[in-house]
Amino acid sequence: MKKKYLVIIYSIAIFVFVVLYLSLNKNNVYTTQENIGKKISVIQLDYFDKPGEFNIQEISNFNFTLLNFWASWCGPCRKEHKYLVELSSNSNLKIIGVNFKDDKKNAMEFLKEMGNPFFILTKDPEGKKSVNFGIYGIPETILINKDLKILKKYVGPLSTKDVREIQRIVKK
Amino acid sequence: MLSSFGITVSTISLLLSLSLLYLSYYDLKLSNNKISKKIYKFAFSQILFTFLSFITLIIAYVISDFSLINVYENSHTTKPLFYKISGAWGNHEGSLLLWINILVLFSFLFLILNKDKNKNFKLYTIIFQNLLISSFLIFLLTNSNPFSLLYPTPTEGMGLNPILQDPALAIHPPLLYLGFVGSSIYFSIALAALITKVDSKSLALTIKPWVSVSWTFQTLGILVGSIWAYYELGWGGFWFWDPVENSSLMPWFLMTALLHSVLVLERRIGLYSWVIILSILTFTMSVVGTFLVRSGILNSVHTFANDPSRGLFILSFLALMVFSSIFIFFKHAPVENKNYKIFSKESFILINNWFMVFFLAVVLIGTLYPVFLDTLTGQKISVGPPYYNFILAPFLLPLLFLMTSGPKHKWISSNVIGIFNIALFTSIILFFLIFLSIKEGGLLLLLILLFSMYLITQTTFDFYETFKNKNINLSRIISHFGFGLLILSISLNQIFSVEKSFNVRLGDEKNFQNYTIKFNNLETFSKNNFKSVKGHFEIIDKKKITSQNLTPEIRVYNKPETITYEASINTKLFSDTYLTMSNISNTDVFNIKFQKKPFMNFIWFSVLLISFGGILQFSRFEKRA
Amino acid sequence: MRILSFIIIQLFIITISYGNESKTYEILKNLRCLVCQGQTISDSNSDFALTIKEVVTEKVNEGLSRKEIYYFLSDKYGDWILFNTPLKKNSYFLWFMPYILFILGGAILYIVIKKRTEKIK
């Protein structure tokens, strides 16, 4: 009887310690990776420098779309911009920019200085529409296919590795 | 200089601890009745050197010796002296040194205060306590050394996070550590008692004062932490069910259970194993809490800088501690006396333990479940205040009721005292008076109000009886009264809180309910370590025709660069007015949050009362001994 | 009669507007701010929190129910954003284990007390 209890208690304790040990090496920074595989919502985005709205459903005309949320005030956006310019030369991929909570003049200056990789440029001055894409801080970049399904979600600035990954997926 | 001195002193105290282990083990085999004088001498040097290492660290902070990495990372020359000193334990390494100091302090006090106890029982306690001390000293010296040298020596430090520069937070860690690190001593005593087969009465008498002391400090530590959160974080709340807060609450539940069951053990022979299990669990939970807080596996409001190697050490230590305690327990498990009868009062104390262990289980599950789920399945969920409130609140009703009626039962066979007594009658009348002024509030909340009032009135009547009958336990009455008042104040605070936020520009005037808020002025100024934007608001209560000026601030500190939102709080006896302000980026619009927080003073006061009961309990014990 | 109906309508309007507001606060208190360690959206002053506050206020005013709003946000940000853990397959243990433990503890206690009190009689 005593032995049975001992075995039960020891096994529970070992289980708890193993899980806690495994949890030590886990990264606990939360990112919205759960969105991968989901379809994007039906949203109308305002054009950046002309009246009217862009219906996000229209991207089903393109093979692949990269949706990039950026702003001129965001330091990391500046860092990743050269990668966007690099990717914009890929004919299989269209980059759509969403200018996030930004001042129009500053944003235009930013593009003038760094280059404009965006096939279509829209804006979200209050940041509320971006909520529909699960955006919680910029830069964030979403790779979407023809069926409007999210293939990849990058939180934070793109890296060389991310760019290679995007190119690999898009080539297929 | 201080670096090598500190390391030397800590190493000496490690060596002393190891020698104490050896000496105590050697002394076990000797046939003399008294513990050898040598052990006392070594224990005295041990406490001397451990204190010295802590004082060395404090001196390094006071003179801003940036050749110590720890001082460089957490201090700054322009910091006020008070925060230079408290900065010494405001970080992982320094607070670990404080941890060790308290382990040593309790070990030393145990040795000198229990002169006439069974020799081997004492020696085993010293052995277990020094196993803890030396493990933590090894951890300190190898992994988290506060005396590590930085070369070349920087001329200026990085500064202490401004939200930690607060008097409440300066005394919070020492209080809390006296509480839960203090529980180490009854962990050691319990294991020693198992091995040496000490009888239940002397076990009870030995651990009781330590339980009261640690429980009192734990209560005070939690209180001070809440006060800090309320005044400094600027969110208007005082308890967030955050993992770090939960870590301090978990040992508290067990200490409370222990505090009650020791009362049984002291008078009668029952519950021997149970008290031992509780003692072991209390310190285990303290270490679990330390692990959770410092390993960085949880997302918490109160972040310590995290490092997995620390987590690994504490986890290995914890595993070793748990497995060996279980082993010792089963090897030496006492044979319970099967022939003893449980009296009604004992049943009530066991019911108290049942509730406390349940509360512990809820908090433990809520804190750990997201970690387990994430590790095992990769799914991420959050567990927050709604979970704890939903599960725990209904159980307050029977708890409050039992706290009222339980203690009225006699030790030996008792008549059930009429439930419908004068106290209940009074509380129902009081309840209806309050009910008339409440227009909302769910059934559960109202019932909690009623039951807490019943507890308050009953304990008040009991208090009057203590004048007639000196045998009544005053500390119980005060603590229970405090608990009733706490639950009552929290419920009323919930019901009567007002919260409203606006977006305003300078010069705006907003009206809502009975209040008018005017944004009169905006002032910017800079002090030596921060720049501040201060809003001047006038709040007019149209019902009472009073007005008050509140000045919330947004501060931008430069060392280290941090933005803090300073709440402006106007405290009155019954109600606090709480105003915070934040700016909306790239605009001249400010978001202000107005809150009315009633009965905050009562919440603080009632927790003070609860801990005061613990102090009385201790002094009662001292008199008897 | 007309006065009465006017009063009722007035009362109704007041409760609706009041209800909307407290509903918003209640929802915001149950949301986790993703960019600030463990803080609620309601308590946070971060940019993200301010945006979510506005979005929730809008949705409440549009007449969406609590459930719909929680669903919307968890669809976009995952269940991580919900502090009031939804009852799902992955949280059965979390929600039911405390009750099971409570009953289990009670049963053990009952047996112990019963055994011990009968022995001597």
Side-chain angles (χ1 to χ4, degrees), chain B residues 203-212 262-263 266 617 621 624:
Chain B
L203 173 67
L205 288 176
T206 316
I207 69 171
K208 200 179 156 190
W210 303 108
V211 176
S212 321
V262 162
L263 292 176
E266 183 187 24
Q617 168 104 356
F621 173 84
R624 220 185 299 153

Side-chain angles (χ1 to χ4, degrees), chain B residues 123-329:
Chain B
L123 283 174
Y124 270 113
T125 307
I126 296 297
I127 288 176
F128 284 117
Q129 191 73 5
N130 274 292
L131 282 172
L132 303 177
I133 294 168
S134 38
S135 316
F136 274 92
L137 271 170
I138 291 169
F139 179 36
L140 182 97
L141 286 167
T142 55
N143 174 286
S144 309
N145 195 335
F147 300 108
S148 290
L149 196 65
L150 181 63
Y151 188 82
T153 306
T155 49
E156 193 48 279
M158 283 158 58
L160 179 68
N161 187 342
I163 64 165
L164 302 180
Q165 297 186 26
D166 182 276
L169 207 67
I171 58 165
H172 168 67
L175 286 175
L176 205 61
Y177 288 11
L178 281 170
F180 74 79
V181 182
S183 73
S184 63
I185 194 72
Y186 40 94
F187 168 82
S188 303
I189 293 173
L191 289 178
L194 271 177
I195 293 175
T196 53
K197 309 225 176 300
V198 166
D199 69 282
S200 55
K201 185 157 181 149
S202 50
L203 173 67
L205 288 176
T206 316
I207 69 171
K208 200 179 156 190
W210 303 108
V211 176
S212 321
V213 166
S214 61
W215 180 85
T216 306
F217 280 113
Q218 185 78 6
T219 313
L220 286 172
I222 293 173
L223 170 69
V224 172
S226 288
I227 291 176
W228 169 76
Y230 177 73
Y231 284 99
E232 190 66 29
L233 291 179
W235 309 341
F238 53 92
W239 191 265
F240 304 97
W241 292 107
D242 178 84
V244 172
E245 295 169 343
N246 293 348
S247 307
S248 66
L249 201 57
M250 290 190 288
W252 188 86
F253 288 135
L254 289 170
M255 286 176 192
T256 311
L258 201 51
L259 198 64
H260 288 82
S261 45
V262 162
L263 292 176
V264 177
L265 192 63
E266 183 187 24
R267 286 176 172 81
R268 317 226 307 115
I269 44 169
L271 300 187
Y272 188 80
S273 311
W274 178 236
V275 165
I276 293 213
I277 292 173
L278 277 179
S279 306
I280 293 173
L281 268 182
T282 308
F283 186 61
T284 306
M285 274 304 142
S286 307
V287 181
V288 167
T290 308
F291 169 74
L292 294 179
V293 174
R294 293 174 194 230
S295 65
I297 63 169
L298 293 164
N299 267 279
S300 153
V301 174
H302 317 266
T303 38
F304 259 97
N306 303 316
D307 173 355
S309 71
R310 281 173 204 164
L312 188 62
F313 183 94
I314 304 176
L315 192 66
S316 325
F317 171 77
L318 187 63
L320 204 66
M321 198 180 103
V322 168
F323 286 119
S324 38
S325 316
I326 297 172
F327 178 76
I328 293 172
F329 183 81

Side-chain angles (χ1 to χ4, degrees), chain B residues 233-237 240 242 270-271 298-303 336-343 347-348 350-351 354-355 358 361-362 365-366 369-370 373 379-387 390-391 394-395 398 440 499-503 513 565 580-585 591 593 595, chain C residues 18 21-22 25-26 28-32 34 36-47 50 53-54 70 77-86 88-107 109 112-121:
Chain B
L233 291 179
W235 309 341
F240 304 97
D242 178 84
L271 300 187
L298 293 164
N299 267 279
S300 153
V301 174
H302 317 266
T303 38
E336 282 286 327
N337 184 341
K338 292 241 167 68
N339 272 330
Y340 97 100
K341 184 184 165 192
I342 288 186
F343 295 127
S347 312
F348 277 103
L350 284 175
I351 291 171
W354 174 33
F355 273 83
F358 168 70
V362 174
I365 290 173
Y369 188 74
L373 188 70
Q379 299 172 40
K380 286 177 186 275
I381 60 163
S382 296
V383 177
Y387 171 79
F390 182 86
I391 303 251
F395 289 92
E440 53 193 306
E499 183 180 332
K500 178 94 189 155
S501 59
F502 314 93
N503 286 343
Q513 293 178 27
Y565 303 93
T580 46
M581 161 175 110
S582 61
N583 61 319
I584 293 173
S585 48
N591 183 272
K593 189 155 138 191
Q595 295 181 82
Chain C
Y18 181 72
E21 204 168 282
S22 54
Y25 286 133
E26 185 199 312
L28 294 177
K29 279 199 164 51
N30 290 341
L31 298 176
R32 179 181 210 135
L34 301 184
C36 14
Q37 303 273 351
Q39 220 174 338
T40 67
I41 292 279
S42 163
D43 290 334
S44 171
N45 291 321
S46 69
D47 219 40
L50 291 175
K53 280 178 194 175
E54 282 180 38
Y70 289 137
Y77 293 102
D79 284 345
W80 183 250
I81 200 169
L82 304 179
F83 260 138
N84 53 346
T85 328
K88 281 186 182 171
K89 248 190 211 146
N90 68 11
S91 61
Y92 282 161
F93 182 92
L94 177 76
W95 284 102
F96 296 127
M97 199 56 193
Y99 297 109
I100 294 170
L101 287 177
F102 186 76
I103 294 165
L104 204 71
L109 194 62
V112 167
I113 290 177
K114 201 163 177 221
K115 225 187 194 168
R116 293 281 157 88
T117 38
E118 271 171 359
K119 271 242 157 85
I120 264 183
K121 271 176 195 166

